[in-house]
Amino acid sequence: MKRKVVFCFILVFLFFNCKTTDETYTTYDVSDYTEEDLIAEKIDEVKALNETDSIKALFLSWELNANVKDNSELNELFNSCKENVYDLYKKFYEEEKYLDCKRCIQSLESVGYKFENIDEINKNLSQKIYSNVPGLNNPGNKKASREVSDWIKGCVTIYVDKGIKVENGKGFVDAVIGSGFFISADGYIVTNYHVISDIVDKKNKEFSRLYIKLYYDSENRVPAKVIGWDSNLDLALIKTEAEVPYYFSLGSSTELKVGDKVYVIGSPLGLEKTLTSGIISSKERNLFSLGSVFQLDAAVNSGNSGGPVLDSNGKVQAVVFAGVPYYQGLNFAIPVEYLKSILPYLIQGDENKHPWICAYGKTLKNVVTSQEGLGVKLYYVLSKINNNPLSLKEDDVIIACNKNKISSVEDLKLCLMEHQFDSIVNFTCKDKNGQEIEKKVYLEKRPANPGYYFYKHDVVASALYPIVGMKLVNISTVSKRKYSITSIISGSTADNAGFSENDPVDLLSIDFDKEKKYAYIQMYAKKRKNGFLDIGITLPVELDGMYYL
């Protein structure tokens, strides 16, 4: 009986095995696709792109030209792309789109385009750009005062009327109250994005209308309109036609030190013209994905959002944006440097979008306790042309951007903030051997959640390096779930969870919340620090943060 069973099993196995073999082995012709064919295909792609996206075509043509020597067709294409971007610059100039002009000129300079009068061109563009930017064109503010009573005149209460909200059959007045302050004599006001978000949110189909209340009239509401906003930095620029009683000059956050006294003016809980004071508790709280913010102990409550943080001379040094409920002295403000960087973009109208270099990096230091940064070390780069030696690479250290020194992530973030996406910049980097190399980078538009973007555009083992902080390598030919950790980023989620290099892990699942802001990574692990005991663990991680560059 046993022999019959074994014999039947062998017949079945051979039947299916033969069937699989017959279907699997298919003869294919060997492709004669050559390197010349690949170059020709790339040239056609760039030519097509040159009709719709000139600056990106310029970057790709430069990249091809730099990697393929002595190709007359590539040289001709590169020159054609340069002339096309220059023509675009002239078109933008005629249309008075001076920020776009600057983007074209910087991109052309980056790829070596020679201008006879580049200093005059840049000077002229700067005058055109900044002459009409509120807050940046009034350094000699004649109304500037050191009297607190005057400062209060320059502040307003922001009122967003959302109509009537019905709950349980009862109607309630639905409104958002915040603070703001004048930065020019013609009625431009700065506030927080989250205060006016209902006005500009395209998903919001409900009624909403924007008003302000002036310091001398708490009863009447004056209409206002949103000019521009930046959801990443939580800043917005609005305008009213009311007469401006006082407006502020913007300071420089570099003048402010921890321990310096500051004043906050706003409308906490709707109590207008409220002045509080305190000190700067810290200048390096990483609560934003685009840079550090200030912590201060001046009293801040709901309604203070968008109010100014002033130094003893009455200059704006920051903008209040958050406080921690039920905890005194834990309040936060956006440094004025960020506001000054984006004002030229906010005045153009609509939402300001930021560029990025599709990378993840941290400030490099000689020792952990050192305060001085040596540049930004890249731990991960999402590169579409990985074999291109002129692209940014893992372990590169960025030390300059367009010849401006970069010592830290904050420096790099501020530099990127001053540029637009769809432009080309020059980076000076040190490779892993310490050699300095000039690299040109095309700035893409920064996605809402960079970690999720990495996950969608890279293999899981690589994408988890910036997301969690562990670099993985597959260790099984049978299972795609079994990995070993080859590297850990110091201070990352993986590091804080106690993982080490060479720990084996079984990756079970990766889930995301509805808005793709958080990932939940389930795995089995044998952590060396736990004596290699089997444990199941879920790592919740945010998909945006300070180190996504």
Side-chain angles (χ1 to χ4, degrees):
M1 181 66 181
K2 289 183 178 179
R3 289 182 179 179
K4 288 183 180 180
V5 172
V6 171
F7 180 72
C8 290
F9 176 79
I10 293 172
L11 285 177
V12 172
F13 174 80
L14 289 174
F15 172 77
F16 282 105
N17 193 49
C18 290
K19 184 177 181 181
T20 304
T21 302
D22 291 341
E23 292 181 352
T24 302
Y25 283 93
T26 307
T27 303
Y28 295 96
D29 293 330
V30 177
S31 173
D32 59 351
Y33 199 70
T34 64
E35 184 177 348
E36 287 74 18
D37 293 328
L38 179 62
I39 294 172
E41 186 178 292
K42 291 291 184 183
I43 289 174
D44 289 340
E45 288 178 8
V46 174
K47 284 181 178 178
L49 192 63
N50 200 23
E51 301 297 322
T52 57
D53 196 341
S54 300
I55 294 179
K56 191 167 188 177
L58 173 64
F59 176 74
L60 294 176
S61 67
W62 168 83
E63 205 167 40
L64 283 170
N65 203 50
N67 284 282
V68 181
K69 304 299 182 183
D70 303 322
N71 187 307
S72 58
E73 188 176 6
L74 276 177
N75 286 331
E76 184 179 340
L77 176 61
F78 181 42
N79 290 328
S80 172
C81 289
K82 286 191 289 187
E83 293 305 319
N84 207 18
V85 173
Y86 186 73
D87 289 341
L88 188 63
Y89 154 70
K90 291 190 290 185
K91 174 178 175 290
F92 285 144
Y93 195 89
E94 290 176 359
E95 297 172 352
E96 298 184 357
K97 296 179 179 179
Y98 301 119
L99 281 171
D100 289 318
C101 288
K102 182 180 178 182
R103 180 164 57 91
C104 291
I105 293 298
Q106 286 181 340
S107 298
L108 285 168
E109 278 192 284
S110 295
V111 298
Y113 191 96
K114 300 298 182 183
F115 294 90
E116 293 182 0
N117 54 343
I118 186 60
D119 291 337
E120 291 182 17
I121 291 175
N122 284 327
K123 182 179 179 180
N124 177 52
L125 283 179
S126 293
Q127 289 175 344
K128 297 284 189 182
I129 290 170
Y130 294 107
S131 61
N132 295 316
V133 178
L136 300 184
N137 58 0
N138 58 341
N141 181 3
K142 295 180 180 179
K143 284 194 173 185
S145 170
R146 299 187 66 173
E147 296 293 330
V148 175
S149 58
D150 287 329
W151 301 350
I152 293 175
K153 296 176 185 178
C155 296
V156 299
T157 300
I158 310 292
Y159 188 92
V160 178
D161 183 0
K162 299 171 63 177
I164 301 297
K165 177 172 62 176
V166 178
E167 291 183 355
N168 300 322
K170 297 179 181 180
F172 301 89
V173 174
D174 192 9
V176 176
I177 295 177
S179 302
F181 56 95
F182 287 108
I183 59 170
S184 69
D186 51 351
Y188 283 98
I189 299 168
V190 171
T191 187
N192 283 145
Y193 161 75
H194 75 259
V195 173
I196 55 88
S197 60
D198 287 310
I199 300 290
V200 298
D201 187 358
K202 295 178 181 179
K203 296 179 182 179
N204 180 28
K205 305 299 182 181
E206 304 297 327
F207 165 89
S208 56
R209 190 166 292 172
L210 178 63
Y211 299 95
I212 66 164
K213 291 183 179 180
L214 297 165
Y215 87 101
Y216 56 80
D217 189 352
S218 60
E219 295 183 357
N220 294 308
R221 297 180 296 182
V222 180
K225 63 179 179 180
V226 178
I227 302 299
W229 67 95
D230 189 315
S231 58
N232 287 291
L233 287 175
D234 197 14
L235 291 170
L237 184 68
I238 67 176
K239 190 176 190 303
T240 183
E241 299 304 320
E243 184 178 348
V244 177
Y246 181 86
Y247 64 92
F248 293 95
S249 294
L250 303 181
S252 172
S253 301
T254 56
E255 301 169 357
L256 213 57
K257 299 180 179 63
V258 173
D260 283 355
K261 187 172 183 177
V262 290
Y263 302 87
V264 174
I265 303 175
S267 304
L269 304 178
L271 299 174
E272 299 158 9
K273 298 178 285 187
T274 297
L275 172 73
T276 58
S277 65
I279 62 168
I280 296 294
S281 305
S282 174
K283 294 180 68 176
E284 299 178 349
R285 295 301 184 207
N286 295 333
L287 301 184
F288 272 3
S289 60
L290 295 181
S292 300
V293 299
F294 292 169
Q295 179 184 332
L296 53 147
D297 72 348
V300 167
N301 293 283
S302 176
N304 268 116
S305 294
V309 177
L310 308 169
D311 62 17
S312 57
N313 294 314
K315 288 186 176 182
V316 177
Q317 297 291 358
V319 183
V320 174
F321 80 96
V324 180
Y326 312 115
Y327 290 89
Q328 293 184 356
L330 290 179
N331 306 306
F332 304 95
I334 305 156
V336 73
E337 305 300 338
Y338 300 161
L339 173 62
K340 290 163 69 175
S341 293
I342 67 169
L343 273 174
Y345 305 111
L346 295 183
I347 194 65
Q348 301 298 310
D350 214 341
E351 183 173 10
N352 180 45
K353 296 289 189 179
H354 292 267
W356 77 322
I357 60 174
C358 303
Y360 181 96
K362 289 190 172 187
T363 302
L364 179 67
K365 296 180 180 180
N366 267 335
V367 291
V368 177
T369 55
S370 173
Q371 293 185 356
E372 185 67 26
L374 303 176
V376 177
K377 180 180 178 179
L378 302 181
Y379 289 91
Y380 171 91
V381 180
L382 181 63
S383 179
K384 297 177 182 177
I385 308 180
N386 291 317
N387 61 346
N388 179 13
L390 301 173
S391 300
L392 292 174
K393 302 289 183 187
E394 289 184 14
D395 296 324
D396 279 353
V397 179
I398 298 175
I399 59 174
C401 173
N402 284 347
K403 298 183 179 179
N404 295 316
K405 183 181 177 182
I406 301 295
S407 300
S408 63
V409 167
E410 287 81 3
D411 289 346
L412 181 57
K413 291 277 189 176
L414 192 57
C415 180
L416 291 175
M417 211 177 290
E418 294 170 350
H419 290 80
Q420 296 169 277
F421 66 88
D422 189 28
S423 62
I424 305 169
V425 298
N426 276 332
F427 284 114
T428 305
C429 303
K430 285 186 177 180
D431 63 17
K432 58 185 177 182
N433 299 317
Q435 181 180 357
E436 283 194 16
I437 306 173
E438 295 291 329
K439 298 191 175 185
K440 305 181 194 309
V441 178
Y442 176 77
L443 299 181
E444 305 270 4
K445 184 192 294 186
R446 194 179 196 274
N449 300 303
Y452 185 71
Y453 185 88
F454 289 153
Y455 175 79
K456 295 294 290 184
H457 292 83
D458 206 344
V459 296
V460 172
S462 297
L464 287 185
Y465 197 30
I467 294 174
V468 188
M470 60 169 67
K471 182 183 285 188
L472 302 176
V473 60
N474 190 265
I475 56 174
S476 173
T477 57
V478 179
S479 174
K480 294 181 179 180
R481 292 182 174 183
K482 295 186 178 296
Y483 295 91
S484 177
I485 299 175
T486 61
S487 182
I488 294 285
I489 298 176
S490 177
S492 65
T493 300
D495 185 30
N496 293 333
F499 286 94
S500 307
E501 291 183 8
N502 301 318
D503 283 355
V505 297
D506 285 9
L507 192 59
L508 302 180
S509 67
I510 302 178
D511 300 312
F512 302 90
D513 71 322
K514 185 178 180 180
E515 295 181 341
K516 306 297 187 296
K517 290 184 177 181
Y518 294 90
Y520 305 93
I521 301 164
Q522 289 186 318
M523 61 180 69
Y524 281 127
K526 292 184 177 181
K527 295 193 288 186
R528 175 170 54 84
K529 294 178 180 178
N530 284 9
F532 291 105
L533 294 175
D534 275 328
I535 60 168
I537 187 171
T538 298
L539 296 177
V541 288
E542 193 174 2
L543 296 174
D544 196 3
M546 180 74 174
Y547 306 115
Y548 289 98
L549 307 173

